[in-house]
Amino acid sequence: MNSPSPTERFSTDRPLEAERPRCVGPILFARGARSDECRLTALLVLGEGDAPPVLRGPRGEAKPARLHQFFGWTAWGYDFALPAEAGASYALGDRAFAVAADMTGDIRVAFASCNGQEAGDGERPLDERNHMWRRLALEHRTRPFSLLIQGGDQLYADEAMFCHPALARWAKASLAEKPDIAFTPEMREAARRWYAERYVKLAAEPAMAEVVARVPSLMMWDDHDIMDGWGSHPPELQTSPVGQGLFAVAREMFMLFQLGIAPDGVSPLAPDPEGLSFTLGAAFPRLRVLLPDLRSERRLTRVMGPAGWRAFERTLASVREGERVLVVSTVPVLGPRLSLVERLMNRMPGTQDYEDDLRDQWQSHAHRVEWRDFLECLERLAVDDGAQVTVLSGEIHLAARGTMPFREGGGDLHQLVASGITHPEPSALYAKALGLLARFGEAPIKGCPIRMRPLPGKRAVYTAERNYLVLERRAERWTAEWELEKSGRSPPLEI
């Protein structure tokens, strides 16, 4: 809640800027795949009044459905399928896009998170900001990816609360004052405009646009997609009219730009038809991707609420025996004993500003029982269903990995963290401090100690470089490699 005010101010009645893009997209969303086809949705954003083109593929045409109108734009969605074969492509107007649609054999999957920074993200030079996106795009051109998983903080909305003077006053008000400040229609429209324009600007950036038009994405939000620390703040902030109003605005734009659905719709991958949780489950040949929603119902004393747990359990029940399961926990599920730091800071004056960051973690003392329940769910997948379970996470702006043995011969749980595709790398001191803390060990499940381990080829437990992760299935063996901004490619890790 300490984000600085940006240099640019927005208002609800200012004219649309001439330099704003009139056409953004396509953004491709994965809807699952079978042995014969890959199911997709393409999102295209056009200037209001511009006629959408027909999407053409090998199996015919897909007509656009109007998803949303906002601030001079109209968003269109195309549901279609491509045959599971090499060289599959689709066309929108005079542009054609190749897709690695055959997921029956060897495949490559990219994972990225933390696509921004807390302040001034929109003012950064694109060459610096999107360096790792350009590297990802270049890699895709030579060795295509079939899937891009985006694991949280796709948008940094910290500055949204400074887009209107009344929102800025709320942000600076004390906790006692926040519940009495109304969320006016003017505040709502200013926030909606800020989120909409930031999403459109991101989607138009060339390196990102090249990737997301050709590699189907699965995305799940985390706190910065709403506001820093959402769910780990006191109720005076979170349940206040402005807090709830900002959440509703973030939710509207998340559904459109990260799920590819209308703001009043339901994702075809969501097991919760009521929309209280955005938990997703997607099936591919011999691969299942589960994305629990750790933000919609988060409170000081819980990570997922009743709807979230019901939805997550339904996705677990959909797993077939022996499948590879990638579970996206936007906040790392394996990590050092941060509860020690949390208890220490609670006793020290002047450290409460960091309380939401520590409460955000699974390892917080407030979430310990739920954390154990979550890990035991993954253990049942491995032991009872014979699944090979890997957790993918972001959030910490570092590259890292950890392991935890399952009981009863279930093998090891691998935790792979790839965080900071555009977020600046943190200090080396921060990485070293986490590494020292990891030496204390942690075992939320008795007899199953967590071990944080260096990346292949590294000595330190945490690597402070911008990065993304590459997962590859070749001849039914899975490996993981980190692409690191300064160090280059890590040696492959078998998982």
Side-chain angles (χ1 to χ4, degrees), residues 20-32:
R20 295 196 320 164
R22 283 190 68 86
C23 177
V24 174
I27 303 171
L28 208 55
F29 297 90
R31 302 303 193 206

Side-chain angles (χ1 to χ4, degrees), residues 112-130:
S113 69
C114 298
N115 181 35
Q117 66 181 28
E118 291 80 354
D121 190 47
E123 285 72 52
R124 284 199 283 171
L126 292 187
D127 283 349
E128 183 279 327
R129 184 193 189 280
N130 291 332

